[in-house]
Amino acid sequence: MFDIVRYTPEHAAAWNQFVAQSKNGTFLFDRRYMDYHADRFADHSLLVMEKGRLYALLPGNDDGRGTWWSHQGLTYGGLVMGNECRAAKVRTVLMELNDYLSAAGFHHVVYKHVPWIYARQPSEEDLFALTNVCRATLRTRDVASVVDLHSRLPMSTLRRRGIKKAERGGLHVEEATDFAPYWQLLEANLQQRFHARPVHTLDEISLLHSRFPDAIRLVVVKKGGELLGGTVLYVSGWTVKTQYISANEEGKHTGAIDCLFDQLLRQSGAAGFRYFDFGTSNLTTNDDLNEPLIFQKEGFGGRAVCYDSYEWTL
C-alpha cells in the first residue's frame, strides 16, 4: 500500500512542508534543525508515500550495529503524521516499515514517541500499532514536569518565598539575543557541578537561534546589569519547553530561578500557550528520579508527562 523512501537532501523542502502541516510535528523535525549535527549521526530517515504523496515521515539514524533509532539527536521522535493518518492505515505503515528495515539489514528498532503535549490533534495511532503489529516493549520512561497553563496548580511555599526574595533584591527578567554571556555562565555551572558541558556549543545554539528566532529564545535574570541566571525556551505550537536552566551562586541565593519561572509561566499563559514543559528529571546513570530536580519543578505546579521509548526485534 505504501512506498518507503529513504530521505536525501533533495527531499528537504517537501519534508519541511509536511512537518509544518502535520498534526504532531515540531520544529525539531525541520531539516534545518535536524541537520545541524549531521556529522554526528548516520541519518536514515524515511518518507512514507501513498500514491506518490507524502503520508508520514520517520526521522531516524543507523547506529552501524544493526539498530535503527528514532533520531538519537532529538529529544523525541516517532512517526510524524498528517491529519489524514488513521489507525488502520498507520498499522499498515508499521508493517511495511518493518519489512523495509529488515530488508535494509536492521534487526532491532528503538522508537521514541512524540509526547502528547506536542500534538495539535490526537495522534497516538502509532502507539496502537507498536503493540498490535510490532509487539514492542517499553524501553525507557522518563518523567517530565508539565504545567497546564489553563488550569494552573498553586506554587509551593518554598517557590513563593524565592519569588519574594527576588522581588526584594531587585531582580528582573528580560529576553536576550546574544547567547555568549549566558553560555559562559551555563558552562561554568555544569563544569563545576557535573564535570559536563552543554549538548549544544555556543556556535550551534546561536546558529539554531538564527534559523528559528521565534522558536528558540533565551530569557535571563539580572540584577542591574549583572547576569544571574536564565533558560533557553523551545516554543512548539501551544507548548513552551525549558532547556538549559542555570544560575550562578548569587542567583541561587537570591531567588533568580523562582523569579524567572514565575514571570515565564504568567507570560506564557497570557500569550495563549497551553502547556509549559520543564523537561525530564531522570538521572543520567539510570532511569531513577533526580528527586531534588523534580521537587523544584513540581514546586512550580508541574505534574508528570512521560517521554517513552519502545523497542522490538525485526
Side-chain angles (χ1 to χ4, degrees):
M1 182 180 294
F2 297 97
D3 294 317
I4 311 299
V5 179
R6 184 172 179 179
Y7 173 84
T8 65
E10 289 73 24
H11 296 118
W15 176 288
N16 291 343
Q17 182 179 12
F18 187 89
V19 168
Q21 297 172 349
S22 68
K23 64 177 180 175
N24 67 331
T26 73
F27 76 93
L28 271 69
F29 302 133
D30 189 296
R31 299 307 307 200
R32 294 172 297 163
Y33 187 95
M34 287 182 62
D35 293 343
Y36 87 89
H37 50 20
D39 58 320
R40 301 181 203 170
F41 302 97
D43 189 277
H44 200 119
S45 298
L46 301 171
L47 298 88
V48 180
M49 311 294 297
E50 182 185 34
K51 298 178 181 178
R53 298 182 61 186
L54 261 175
Y55 186 79
L57 303 173
L58 191 59
N61 68 276
D62 177 355
D63 71 355
R65 298 186 297 274
T67 296
W68 183 94
W69 290 78
S70 277
H71 204 288
Q72 290 175 280
L74 301 176
T75 307
Y76 44 78
L79 207 63
V80 181
M81 296 178 281
N83 290 326
E84 294 305 311
C85 285
R86 304 186 185 190
K89 279 192 175 183
V90 171
R91 183 174 60 182
T92 302
V93 168
L94 266 293
M95 292 177 186
E96 298 188 10
L97 280 169
N98 283 342
D99 291 341
Y100 168 91
L101 292 171
S102 182
F106 296 99
H107 57 77
H108 184 236
V109 177
V110 178
Y111 183 101
K112 293 184 287 190
H113 176 69
V114 181
W116 61 268
I117 56 172
Y118 291 97
R120 290 176 286 278
Q121 291 289 333
S123 54
E124 295 190 345
E125 291 85 356
D126 61 334
L127 290 184
F128 171 75
L130 291 186
T131 54
N132 183 260
V133 172
C134 306
R135 306 301 177 193
T137 57
L138 185 67
R139 183 174 188 269
T140 61
R141 170 161 284 168
D142 294 339
V143 60
S145 300
V146 177
V147 175
D148 183 340
L149 295 168
H150 291 188
S151 182
R152 283 184 59 185
L153 298 174
M155 290 190 186
S156 69
T157 300
L158 189 59
R159 300 280 70 85
R160 292 199 301 271
R161 287 175 183 168
I163 294 166
K164 294 294 185 184
K165 185 186 295 184
E167 291 173 350
R168 292 193 299 270
L171 276 59
H172 66 279
V173 176
E174 62 184 52
E175 191 156 350
T177 55
D178 181 5
F179 281 67
Y182 182 69
W183 233 244
Q184 184 176 3
L185 180 153
L186 173 67
E187 289 177 337
N189 199 19
L190 287 176
Q191 178 61 36
Q192 180 181 7
R193 296 184 63 194
F194 306 111
H195 301 289
R197 298 181 63 83
V199 172
H200 297 93
T201 66
L202 173 60
D203 287 344
E204 288 171 343
I205 196 68
S206 298
L207 172 66
L208 291 171
H209 171 68
S210 72
R211 291 178 178 177
F212 302 95
D214 296 326
I216 299 176
R217 299 163 49 196
L218 172 63
V219 184
V220 297
V221 186
K222 291 184 175 180
K223 182 175 183 179
E226 182 184 0
L227 178 65
L228 302 182
T231 189
V232 176
L233 300 178
Y234 274 25
V235 182
S236 303
W238 56 24
T239 300
V240 179
K241 183 178 187 297
T242 64
Q243 308 270 118
Y244 297 123
I245 306 166
S246 195
N248 61 19
E249 287 304 314
E250 183 175 357
K252 293 171 188 175
H253 291 125
T254 55
I257 299 302
D258 294 319
C259 167
L260 173 68
F261 287 120
D262 174 53
Q263 184 156 321
L264 286 177
L265 287 165
R266 287 189 284 107
Q267 288 179 345
S268 298
F273 292 102
R274 179 62 192 269
Y275 300 110
F276 194 95
D277 182 1
F278 281 99
T280 59
S281 299
N282 294 75
L283 297 170
T284 56
T285 52
N286 56 50
D287 62 358
D288 205 355
L289 281 179
N290 183 330
E291 292 196 34
L293 181 59
I294 201 168
F295 174 80
Q296 181 188 44
K297 295 173 181 179
E298 290 176 340
F300 292 109
R303 295 298 183 267
V305 169
C306 290
Y307 281 50
D308 289 347
S309 72
Y310 300 83
E311 64 183 346
W312 64 93
T313 300
L314 296 168

